[in-house]
């Protein structure tokens, strides 16, 4: 019997951020393999993980029908913006979907983002959340399958795919409730604003700061209500991040006040790289 070839989107890159959570990343990779429509490539934006993560990616690379690329930067603190910029710089797709390394995506996730995209917009999606106990159990099986009836799921209705609901419930249209764990952008728009701001280090605000610059450029927010569903696996929040969160928020407020559209330290620094 002939093996059915997977459907692959020719122009979509999926970027997965990670840092030293190989068990979580394995669940995510398995969820990607179940996609009805695969991206043209998957880039792991790694903020300095150890060998265990590299070995996991090497092992799964043999199973992936599309390129699985490990984009690693040295561990010099929380540098999510830089790790994402490096992934954007390497991306071949015209459209880039970002998820975190603790986000298990539903089978229609990539296909939904393909359906949702339109010029002049970026897409922000929500997520259901798994409790700590249920997440710890999941780490024993690495099972990527979830439904609204999964035990330990918070906000389970978020997992019900209702495309018609998307046209009724528009949701937020500002910077409020921006979810960097489930977002998608045209690569040309990311380059127009010079990517993520690498002056933002430490946990928090790198996604809302980017969105503030996109708004200043005239790019509109589009919400994925009822589509592009996913599950956020439980994890503890980083400790001692109050000072950095406050500093990063002040940076974002300045971008809004000044109408700034380009990152001060962003993608343009990689323009001369091969």
């Amino acid at each position: 019997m002939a093996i059915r070839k997977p459907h692959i989107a020719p122009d979509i890159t999926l970027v997965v951020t990670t840092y030293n959570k190989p068990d979580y990343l394995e669940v995510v990779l398995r969820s990607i393999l179940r996609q009805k429509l695969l991206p043209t490539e998957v880039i792991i934006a790694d903020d300095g993980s150890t060998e265990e993560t590299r070995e996991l990616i090497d092992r799964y690379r043999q199973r992936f029908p599309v390129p699985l690329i490990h984009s690693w930067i040295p561990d010099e603190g929380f540098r999510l913006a830089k790790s994402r910029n490096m992934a954007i710089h390497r991306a071949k797709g015209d459209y880039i979907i970002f998820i975190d390394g603790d986000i298990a995506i539903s089978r229609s996730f990539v296909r939904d983002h393909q359906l949702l995209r339109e010029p002049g917009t970026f897409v922000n999606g929500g997520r259901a959340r798994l409790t700590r106990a249920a997440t710890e159990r999941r780490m024993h099986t690495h099972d990527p399958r979830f439904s609204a009836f999964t035990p330990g799921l918070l906000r389970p209705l978020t997992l019900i795919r209702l495309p018609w609901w998307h046209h009724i419930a528009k949701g937020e249209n500002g910077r409020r409730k921006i979810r960097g764990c489930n977002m998608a952008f045209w690569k040309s728009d990311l380059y127009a604003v010079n990517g993520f701001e690498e002056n933002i280090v430490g946990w928090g605000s790198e996604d809302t700061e980017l969105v503030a610059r996109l708004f200043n450029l005239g790019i509109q927010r589009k919400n994925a209500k009822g589509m592009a569903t996913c599950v956020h696996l439980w994890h503890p929040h980083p400790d001692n991040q109050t000072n950095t969160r406050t500093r990063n928020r002040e940076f974002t407020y300045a971008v809004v006040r000044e109408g700034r559209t380009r990152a001060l330290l962003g993608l343009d620094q990689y323009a001369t790289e091969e």
Side-chain angles (χ1 to χ4, degrees), residues 179-195:
R179 306 297 186 196
C181 60
N182 180 4
M183 299 186 77
F185 309 86
W186 292 99
K187 185 166 66 174
S188 58
D189 290 339
L190 291 173
Y191 271 93
V193 297
N194 201 22

Side-chain angles (χ1 to χ4, degrees), residues 191-211:
Y191 271 93
V193 297
N194 201 22
F196 286 87
E197 176 59 75
E198 294 184 26
N199 284 304
I200 292 184
V201 295
W203 186 71
S205 294
E206 76 291 325
D207 42 15
T208 52
E209 191 275 343
L210 170 69
V211 166

Side-chain angles (χ1 to χ4, degrees), residues 8-82:
I8 299 174
D11 57 351
I12 295 177
T13 295
L14 176 62
V15 173
V16 184
T17 60
T18 194
Y19 175 70
N20 281 335
K21 289 184 179 178
D23 276 348
Y24 287 67
L25 183 58
E26 184 161 8
V27 177
V28 177
L29 291 175
R30 289 189 177 192
S31 72
I32 296 170
L33 283 171
R34 299 181 69 246
Q35 291 300 289
K36 294 179 179 178
L37 177 71
L38 285 164
T40 192
E41 62 184 351
V42 177
I43 301 179
I44 308 300
D46 189 341
D47 193 11
S49 298
T50 59
E51 278 293 295
E52 191 176 358
T53 295
R54 184 192 64 78
E55 291 169 359
L56 172 71
I57 295 169
D58 286 346
R59 188 167 73 250
Y60 269 82
R61 189 175 287 120
Q62 310 303 317
R63 298 175 56 181
F64 263 70
V66 299
L68 178 60
I69 300 162
H70 190 191
S71 176
W72 183 90
I73 61 173
D75 185 359
E76 298 177 4
F78 194 106
R79 298 191 296 163
L80 181 58
K82 184 177 183 67

Side-chain angles (χ1 to χ4, degrees), residues 102-148:
D102 50 21
I103 295 291
I105 58 179
S106 62
R107 293 196 68 207
S108 296
F109 187 85
V110 173
R111 174 60 174 158
D112 280 350
H113 271 292
Q114 184 189 55
L115 293 171
L116 288 165
R117 65 182 181 175
E118 63 177 303
T121 70
F122 69 92
V123 174
N124 187 203
R127 77 276 191 268
R129 291 181 289 129
L130 202 63
T131 63
R132 178 176 183 173
T135 297
E136 290 172 349
R137 290 193 299 270
R138 190 66 58 143
M139 291 304 102
H140 294 294
T141 65
H142 300 115
D143 187 349
R145 296 169 297 178
F146 292 91
S147 76

